[in-house]
Amino acid sequence: MPPFVGPEVAWFALSPLLVLSGGGLLLLVVGALTGRWPRGLYAAVTATVAGTAAVLAAIQWSRIADDGPSTLVAGALSYDAFAQFLTITILISVILVVLLTDEDLHESDADGPEVYGLYLMAATGGIIMAAANDLIVLFLGLEALSLALYVLAASARQRSDSQESGLKYFVLGGFSSAFFLYGIALIYGGTGSTNIGRIVASLQSSVTTGGDNALVLAGIALLLVGLGFKVAAVPFHVWTPDVYQGAPTPVTAFMASVGKAAAFAAIVRVLVVALPFYREDWRPAIWLLAVLSLVVGSALAVVQTNVKRMLAYSSISHAGFLLVAIEAAGHRAGEADPGSGVVALVIYLLAYSVLVIGTFAVVTVVGRNASGDVTLDAFKGLSTRRPALALALTVFLFAQAGVPFTSGFVAKFGVIQAAVEERSYAIAIIAMVAAVIAAFLYLRIMVSVWLSGESSDVDGEPDQTLRIPIGAGLAIAAAAAFTLVVGVMPGWLISTAEAVTTYAR
Amino acid sequence: MELLVFVAASAMVLGGALGVILMRNPVHSALGLVLTLFGVAVHFVALEAHFLAAVQVIVYAGAIVVLFLFVIMLLGVDSAEDLKVDGLTIQRPLAAIIGIGTVAIVSVAVLRTRSTIAAGPALEASGDSNIRLLSRNLFSDQVLAFEITSVLLIVAVAGTVLLTRKQSGPTGARKGS
């Protein structure tokens, strides 16, 4: 046998992952060996680690623009603009969520490094999913992210609904991971490899020779079940309301931003990058998932009274919008001119991640002062008690509804435009109707905030008990500023995002 | 002979798997899992993957299921869940239909593609080639996946600490799982 030669490792290209996992590990080990750190230090260290990784990813972005994409470590990871864009999206979300978490943990006297370590490890998993060029690597990233989310959902142990949500998420998530793994096995059986580059090469030769493909088709079906669960697309959505409601609110924000971004990145990697030859087969399935998510998510959101449950159903409807972008990308997947579906998708993911964290940040602040009550009643009269907070919430809800001059409009417009470009008129119309239905839900919250009088005391004085902690205030301000800036001047973001469609295989 | 081994091992795998989900006593379910994992080991032997077969028996059938049994014993063997409670009457028939449908679809897909599935590279006959090939694959093509597994383990450790750490104050509730 020839002597063993290990694969070449481009350390700089891996640096965001190394910084994140190394920082997370250090935080856990040092945090375990020392006593309780001063208030806010855990959060500051975590945000610094995530920020460093984001800066490294931004440097890599410009290098990729110069040198072109490539693959890393024997083709296990892709080093391309898509991966870097998602990396930065995920890291921005981590920083914003960390700002929220500090107060939440301190309040329940549960300060400690574990939650922050899990955030960093979950982000590592999410970035691995976004950059994966091998289905096994993708699965491991998915598991790292999901396992961390199961634990985080149950992390408010003194509340039974948090425990319940963690357990529900764990059982259903494990079930869906099994489907995903079975799908990988069948794709391996059909193509002889789990590496996306080799899968594409194998399919290229078998499609031209007209081989039988039932195994790959069955694999795609099972992969769609697993991925559909992770993005909470109807009919795999039933876990979402319970888990979103039961989990601590910062964790819910983390799930809705990092979890969704990573899962949609995985869908792009699996369907658009690895399986463009089967686009005529998977596109109708995506179409159906998108329409069901849009309709069911919007319709059921309207009848809820708990704001976290409302936002859970609205996240299902947002998942429908994102699937519309995948459907649009499916028309020209694998061609030299890939269309604008994936560009619209990444812009939507970034905009949605920021604004959903902003929304949940306001919910955290309001819920804490109403001792955990986040029904519509808790929001009554917020405009008289805290006008600034009410204004920020209004910006986020307008953005979720897709009102012009907010990032939500830019995102929704991009998706609809991508669908219309591919002549998917039916799905574009359904998406717009669903957006109108969903707008009613956001109006309900706003009516509660602005038009309902104070429920308990009527003097109209600013309520000093409704305290906005510094971290949450910063996160809300940053998210609101981003939402408005992107909404007013979307040009730079769109032109930046246009680079993401050159994938490394 | 090969067919006989295959049928016997498959019967073990399937019988054990059915036992895991059908037995009322969780200890019996765990023992059914042992049978399944052992059957997989027999399959590995039949495919001449002797090292994997040994690892399968030592790690899975030996260590992991024993851990399962520990947990079951610690939580109490008698705490069999009553599965009779049913929320929606349509749920069970629907689950059966979808389960059988999934099995049927996958089976049909495998049967239809049986002739075109590419044969893997033949193993060399020498005694240690198994371990050699495995390690070469693990430390070249799959080295990143190998490393990411450690991220997964860190998550598991941190999660365990978070879920079992004693909380100060009277609210510190005990978490069973």
Side-chain angles (χ1 to χ4, degrees):
Chain A
M1 270 197 161
F4 177 75
V5 183
E8 197 183 329
V9 180
W11 294 105
F12 179 71
L14 290 175
S15 56
L17 286 175
L18 295 174
V19 166
L20 275 181
S21 50
L25 194 56
L26 265 181
L27 184 72
L28 286 170
V29 172
V30 177
L33 295 178
T34 54
R36 184 171 288 192
W37 295 3
R39 161 115 199 261
L41 194 56
Y42 294 117
V45 169
T46 313
T48 314
V49 169
T52 314
V55 169
L56 288 167
I59 297 171
Q60 291 175 357
W61 173 281
S62 59
R63 291 220 182 162
I64 291 168
D66 296 339
D67 305 341
S70 57
T71 59
L72 304 172
V73 205
L77 286 182
S78 303
Y79 184 54
D80 53 17
F82 179 78
Q84 305 309 321
F85 196 97
L86 264 299
T87 303
I88 293 171
T89 304
I90 288 172
L91 290 173
I92 289 174
S93 311
V94 170
I95 295 172
L96 289 176
V97 171
V98 162
L99 289 175
L100 290 185
T101 310
D102 175 49
E103 172 75 11
D104 205 57
L105 285 184
H106 189 75
E107 201 79 349
S108 54
D109 197 30
D111 257 341
E114 291 89 7
V115 168
Y116 298 104
L118 282 174
Y119 281 160
L120 290 177
M121 290 302 167
T124 313
I127 291 169
I128 289 168
M129 283 166 82
N133 194 40
D134 189 303
L135 293 180
I136 293 180
V137 172
L138 199 151
F139 177 72
L140 287 170
L142 180 81
E143 281 301 280
L145 174 64
S146 311
L147 272 182
L149 286 181
Y150 306 148
V151 175
L152 286 169
S155 63
R157 278 184 297 147
Q158 67 277 22
R159 285 193 293 111
S160 62
D161 58 343
S162 171
Q163 295 185 12
E164 179 195 329
S165 82
L167 192 64
K168 271 185 182 165
Y169 196 18
F170 174 61
V171 171
L172 291 174
F175 195 50
S176 82
S177 292
F179 274 100
F180 190 80
L181 202 55
Y182 204 168
I184 294 178
L186 289 180
I187 300 252
Y188 177 73
T191 61
S193 179
T194 56
N195 185 288
I196 288 179
R198 275 177 240 159
I199 288 174
V200 171
S202 153
L203 291 177
Q204 221 150 15
S205 56
S206 75
V207 166
T208 45
T209 55
D212 200 344
N213 54 17
L215 209 51
V216 178
L217 285 178
I220 292 174
L222 293 178
L223 285 177
L224 275 177
V225 173
L227 291 169
F229 176 87
K230 293 297 170 201
V231 302
V234 178
F236 312 112
H237 68 288
V238 280
W239 60 275
T240 321
D242 288 351
V243 174
Y244 273 38
Q245 186 187 0
T249 312
V251 172
T252 312
F254 192 82
M255 278 179 206
S257 54
V258 175
K260 263 213 165 56
F264 271 100
I267 289 190
V268 170
R269 287 282 176 207
V270 169
L271 295 182
V272 180
V273 181
L275 299 163
F277 295 105
Y278 289 95
R279 64 187 190 196
E280 302 303 330
D281 297 307
W282 55 254
R283 217 183 52 230
I286 292 286
W287 193 93
L288 193 66
L289 287 181
V291 169
L292 285 176
S293 306
L294 284 166
V295 173
V296 173
S298 305
L300 289 185
V302 173
V303 298
Q304 306 297 322
T305 51
N306 183 307
V307 172
K308 274 170 94 176
R309 268 185 107 77
M310 281 183 180
L311 290 172
Y313 280 108
S314 108
S315 90
I316 294 171
S317 137
H318 282 289
F321 258 97
L322 290 156
L323 285 168
V324 172
I326 303 260
E327 203 268 348
H331 283 271
R332 275 190 274 169
E335 288 177 17
D337 172 23
S340 54
V342 176
V343 178
L345 177 83
V346 296
I347 292 174
Y348 202 119
L349 281 176
L350 178 60
Y352 177 68
S353 294
V354 171
L355 70 90
V356 82
I357 294 173
T359 318
F360 278 116
V362 178
V363 174
T364 313
V365 173
V366 172
R368 187 178 301 126
N369 289 283
S371 57
D373 175 27
V374 287
T375 53
L376 277 178
D377 291 338
F379 287 81
K380 271 188 184 153
L382 188 66
S383 58
T384 52
R385 286 184 289 164
R386 278 286 179 184
L389 198 62
L391 202 65
L393 182 61
T394 310
V395 169
F396 296 133
L397 291 177
F398 272 140
Q400 295 228 20
V403 172
F405 305 112
T406 61
S407 62
F409 174 75
V410 177
K412 281 199 162 67
F413 184 77
V415 168
I416 303 274
Q417 197 179 27
V420 169
E421 266 174 31
E422 307 301 338
R423 298 174 195 284
S424 304
Y425 297 121
I427 202 170
I429 291 168
I430 293 170
M432 283 189 275
V433 171
V436 172
I437 299 174
F440 180 68
L441 137 87
Y442 306 121
L443 275 178
R444 269 188 75 193
I445 304 179
M446 274 186 266
V447 165
S448 198
V449 168
W450 289 101
L451 298 183
S452 308
E454 183 66 52
S455 48
S456 48
D457 53 329
V458 282
D459 49 7
E461 287 295 305
D463 184 0
Q464 287 310 314
T465 55
L466 212 171
R467 200 171 47 81
I468 304 176
I470 303 167
L474 261 177
I476 292 169
F482 179 86
T483 303
L484 289 175
V485 167
V486 170
V488 177
M489 299 183 295
W492 60 274
L493 184 63
I494 294 170
S495 57
T496 314
E498 257 153 22
V500 299
T501 48
T502 322
Y503 310 108
R505 284 194 184 108
Chain B
M1 181 63 195
E2 222 170 86
L3 186 70
L4 199 68
V5 172
F6 178 80
V7 170
S10 302
M12 281 164 76
V13 172
L14 291 176
L18 284 176
V20 171
I21 55 169
L22 293 180
M23 292 290 182
R24 291 214 164 267
N25 189 328
V27 176
H28 294 165
S29 292
L31 292 177
L33 192 61
V34 175
L35 190 65
T36 299
L37 297 170
F38 204 73
V40 174
V42 175
H43 272 307
F44 278 138
V45 172
L47 293 167
E48 296 187 22
H50 303 295
F51 177 69
L52 280 182
V55 169
Q56 175 82 13
V57 172
I58 295 168
V59 174
Y60 281 92
I64 291 182
V65 178
V66 170
L67 275 181
F68 281 8
L69 285 172
F70 269 144
V71 173
I72 293 169
M73 297 291 187
L74 283 175
L75 289 179
V77 189
D78 309 326
S79 58
E81 293 287 329
D82 183 16
L83 297 174
K84 292 249 160 52
V85 184
D86 211 340
L88 300 165
T89 40
I90 196 169
Q91 237 165 8
R92 294 206 167 197
L94 207 63
I97 291 169
I98 291 175
I100 293 169
T102 311
V103 171
I105 287 171
V106 173
S107 311
V108 167
V110 172
L111 288 176
R112 274 191 58 184
T113 13
R114 197 173 40 176
S115 53
T116 53
I117 291 176
L123 287 182
E124 286 166 39
S126 70
D128 65 350
S129 65
N130 231 302
I131 302 175
R132 228 175 240 273
L133 284 175
L134 201 68
S135 57
R136 269 177 187 276
N137 195 12
L138 201 58
F139 289 103
S140 61
D141 280 359
Q142 305 295 344
V143 67
L144 190 85
F146 182 70
E147 297 295 340
I148 295 171
T149 327
S150 58
V151 173
L152 207 56
L153 291 178
I154 296 170
V155 170
V157 172
T160 316
V161 172
L162 185 62
L163 287 185
T164 54
R165 194 179 56 171
K166 250 205 186 74
Q167 269 178 340
S168 50
T171 49
R174 206 162 56 87
K175 179 89 167 71
S177 52

